[in-house]
Amino acid sequence: MKKILVIGSLNLDMVAVVDHAPAVGETVLCSNMQLIPGGKGANQAYAAAALGGDTTILGAVGADSYAELLKESLCRSGADISRLITRPDSSTGIAVITVNRDGDNSILVISGANASLMPEDIERNRPLLEACDLVILQMEIPLETVLYSAKLAKELGKLVLLDPAPVPKHFPEELYHYVDLLKPNETELSMLTGMEQIDARLEEAAAWVHGKGCQNLIVTLGEKGLYLDSVQEGACRIPARKVAAVDTTAAGDTFTAALAVKLMEGAGLKEAAEFANLASSIVVTRKGAQSSIPSREEVELLRA
């Protein structure tokens, strides 16, 4: 089985369900808060393993109880956590998430140990990159580490999948050359390209991405489905599966992971995107991050 390596963040999500997200200066009351394992890197590793991928995660956590909760959850999914780095002088990352009555979320991330994952940590774990077939990256770890990881993976001949979230203020153009597949949502694509009304300019935005050196783009568009544009495979739109959204947390991470799993199974980009579309459609019908991620069997039932 081909191997997936996720290099990224691990956070404990503190989730509060509210009537609406607070405005500046406003206090909003809620009845309770849940502690849920999350973080974009951890979510993607959990989802990839739960969906049948041979998955290892490389990241950093603190020496605290939050880290233990994260490790326990990842182990349940089947992900390999043996290369996680423990920082005794840092806390585990935390995300404070408010979810409104429509299921949309707002997230505040306290990076903690995630901010300590440096290029030298990646270099020390070079054998992991040598042994894998695909590397998944996001942007909740230092930008220099993302860039180093992508460049090294590309030099080693690995497939590089980047979820550019959260989009940094200064996105290094060099990074596009090391990315085989870029997977933003429409807001992130707008931030990357500087284009407004991105849904009406997807072909133009895709040409911009291709011109930067990345040959494959998949844009998730929420209830409008997704747009795929590949230099090799062409362009198409895939409609969303109609569901009643409860919570969108981890939907994008699950999409990314599902995409990676199917690509490692030999699927083409369109088939992989259709599978990922189904997997993420299940996530939004449930509350939480990793707790909302489906099994492979659940996704396959939708394909039957």
Side-chain angles (χ1 to χ4, degrees):
M1 181 183 295
K2 291 187 175 181
K3 297 179 181 295
I4 297 169
L5 173 63
V6 179
I7 301 176
S9 59
L10 301 94
N11 294 320
L12 186 74
D13 291 350
M14 299 180 174
V15 183
V17 178
V18 297
D19 182 66
H20 63 277
V24 175
E26 180 185 13
T27 298
V28 175
L29 299 178
C30 63
S31 58
N32 61 68
M33 181 180 70
Q34 293 179 293
L35 300 180
I36 301 173
K40 294 192 71 63
N43 290 345
Q44 290 169 4
Y46 184 105
L51 293 168
D54 184 344
T55 309
T56 299
I57 181 169
L58 174 58
V61 294
D64 50 36
S65 59
Y66 293 163
E68 296 309 310
L69 289 172
L70 289 164
K71 291 176 183 177
E72 289 171 8
S73 181
L74 284 164
C75 284
R76 285 195 294 272
S77 76
D80 181 353
I81 65 166
S82 63
R83 305 308 285 269
L84 287 178
I85 300 165
T86 300
R87 306 289 198 209
D89 56 345
S90 295
S91 65
T92 297
I94 295 170
V96 180
I97 303 172
T98 59
V99 182
N100 69 18
R101 58 190 170 191
D102 297 319
D104 296 318
N105 61 56
S106 299
I107 305 175
L108 172 66
V109 176
I110 300 95
S111 296
N114 294 312
S116 74
L117 191 67
M118 292 287 110
E120 50 264 36
D121 296 311
I122 307 305
E123 184 57 40
R124 278 194 291 268
N125 284 278
R126 177 184 282 255
L128 272 181
L129 281 86
E130 293 173 340
C132 78
D133 298 280
L134 181 148
V135 175
I136 298 177
L137 294 161
Q138 342 72 35
M139 312 200 83
E140 287 183 340
I141 58 175
L143 184 54
E144 61 187 300
T145 307
V146 174
L147 183 59
Y148 187 88
S149 301
K151 184 176 182 180
L152 178 58
K154 195 67 173 177
E155 289 174 353
L156 294 170
K158 311 304 177 182
L159 195 68
V160 179
L161 170 51
L162 175 65
D163 180 352
V167 175
K169 186 175 181 180
H170 301 291
F171 190 96
E173 293 210 0
E174 179 187 359
L175 183 53
Y176 289 107
H177 294 282
Y178 309 134
V179 174
D180 296 289
L181 174 54
L182 186 70
K183 196 244 83 182
N185 62 29
E186 57 186 318
T187 300
E188 292 154 0
L189 183 60
S190 180
M191 293 173 68
L192 289 169
T193 62
M195 298 179 189
E196 298 180 355
Q197 298 179 325
I198 202 73
D199 189 40
R201 304 175 67 184
L202 289 170
E203 291 184 8
E204 182 184 353
W208 185 94
V209 170
H210 297 329
K212 296 294 182 181
C214 178
Q215 296 201 340
N216 301 290
L217 172 71
I218 294 181
V219 190
T220 52
L221 303 166
E223 63 183 15
K224 294 173 288 187
L226 60 99
Y227 175 76
L228 182 158
D229 199 313
S230 167
V231 172
Q232 290 80 23
E233 298 188 28
C236 68
R237 292 191 71 142
I238 298 173
R241 175 173 169 255
K242 300 300 181 183
V243 297
V246 173
D247 181 0
T248 58
T249 307
D253 295 330
T254 300
F255 186 98
T256 299
L259 197 63
V261 169
K262 287 301 289 184
L263 289 173
M264 290 299 91
E265 292 175 355
L269 195 56
K270 184 173 185 291
E271 180 186 350
E274 290 170 339
F275 177 82
N277 197 33
L278 291 177
S280 60
S281 77
I282 297 173
V283 174
V284 300
T285 66
R286 303 169 176 175
K287 294 182 179 180
Q290 292 168 27
S291 56
S292 69
I293 293 170
S295 66
R296 179 62 177 260
E297 290 72 22
E298 289 177 289
V299 183
E300 294 295 347
L301 280 174
L302 295 181
R303 302 176 76 204

